[in-house]
C-alpha cells in the first residue's frame, strides 16, 4: 500500500495520514513509517477522534491542528463496512485547502451505504452484513479474523 501511495503522490507538497481513532491510527502509523523508508516525501500524522458507536452525537475532533495546504490527506481506517464512519471522519477536512483527499483501508467489505470508495485497499472480502471483521496489529505481523 505504501508503494502505491508514493507512486500516486510524487508531486504533492506532502502526505498527511489521518488515522481514525483505534485501529485506523495504528494502520496510519504503519503506513507512514513504511512510506518514510521508501520515499523522500514529507510525512505527517494526526488522529481523527470520534466515537464510532455514536457518530451522531459526538463532536469529531483532530488530535492537533495541522497545515494542509497543497498536501494530500489520506484518511485511514482498518475496515470499510458501510462507509458511515469514513464519511463522518471527513467532516473536519471539508473546509481545508487540500491538494487531494484519499482513503486507505486494510479491509474493504463492500457493503456501501454511503458513497465512499477506498483508493488503497489491503484486502477485499465478500462477507455478509452479520459477519464481523477483527484486525489485530499486536506483535510483528497483523492478522484479519472473520468472526
Amino acid at each position: 500500500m505504501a508503494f502505491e501511495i508514493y507512486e500516486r503522490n510524487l508531486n504533492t507538497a506532502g502526505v498527511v495520514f489521518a488515522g481514525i481513532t483505534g485501529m485506523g491510527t495504528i494502520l496510519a502509523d504503519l503506513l507512514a513509517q513504511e512510506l518514510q523508508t521508501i520515499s523522500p516525501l514529507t510525512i505527517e500524522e494526526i488522529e481523527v477522534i470520534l466515537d464510532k458507536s455514536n457518530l451522531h452525537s459526538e463532536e469529531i475532533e483532530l488530535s492537533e491542528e495541522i497545515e494542509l495546504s497543497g498536501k494530500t490527506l489520506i484518511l485511514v481506517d482498518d475496515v470499510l463496512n458501510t462507509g458511515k464512519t469514513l464519511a463522518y471522519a471527513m467532516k473536519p477536512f471539508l473546509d481545508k485547502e487540500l491538494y487531494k483527499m484519499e482513503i486507505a483501508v486494510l479491509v474493504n467489505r463492500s457493503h456501501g451505504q454511503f458513497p465512499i470508495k477506498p483508493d488503497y485497499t489491503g484486502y477485499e472480502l465478500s462477507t455478509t452484513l452479520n459477519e464481523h471483521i477483527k484486525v489485530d496489529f499486536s506483535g510483528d505481523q497483523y492478522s484479519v479474523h472473520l468472526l
Side-chain angles (χ1 to χ4, degrees):
M1 288 173 68
F3 279 98
E4 191 175 1
I5 291 168
Y6 180 31
E7 183 179 290
R8 289 189 191 176
N9 291 287
L10 289 171
N11 300 320
T12 186
V15 174
V16 177
F17 287 96
I20 295 175
T21 298
M23 297 305 236
T25 305
I26 295 170
L27 180 58
D29 185 53
L30 291 171
L31 287 170
Q33 287 176 30
E34 186 64 28
L35 190 57
Q36 275 185 318
T37 64
I38 63 172
S39 81
L41 294 172
T42 302
I43 299 163
E44 299 171 90
E45 295 177 65
I46 58 173
E47 180 180 0
V48 180
I49 303 165
L50 54 79
D51 179 2
K52 291 183 180 183
S53 64
N54 196 9
L55 292 170
H56 298 292
S57 67
E58 289 293 319
E59 181 88 17
I60 298 162
E61 300 176 1
L62 301 178
S63 59
E64 62 183 275
E65 285 300 317
I66 191 167
E67 177 56 44
L68 296 169
S69 245
K71 297 178 184 174
T72 296
L73 177 88
I74 301 179
L75 193 56
V76 182
D77 204 5
D78 59 340
V79 178
L80 172 57
N81 189 19
T82 63
K84 186 175 185 176
T85 300
L86 282 161
Y88 275 83
M90 288 181 181
K91 187 177 178 182
F93 305 108
L94 295 177
D95 63 348
K96 308 289 185 197
E97 282 192 42
L98 301 169
Y99 175 69
K100 65 180 168 180
M101 184 186 303
E102 298 178 321
I103 295 173
V105 296
L106 186 59
V107 179
N108 182 7
R109 294 183 63 194
S110 302
H111 292 297
Q113 294 176 350
F114 287 73
I116 302 296
K117 178 186 162 291
D119 299 282
Y120 309 103
T121 302
Y123 297 102
E124 185 89 27
L125 295 178
S126 294
T127 60
T128 67
L129 287 171
N130 294 333
E131 292 174 311
H132 181 73
I133 300 289
K134 181 177 186 255
V135 177
D136 182 7
F137 286 112
S138 61
D140 293 337
Q141 302 273 336
Y142 67 86
S143 59
V144 176
H145 306 278
L146 180 63
L147 306 173

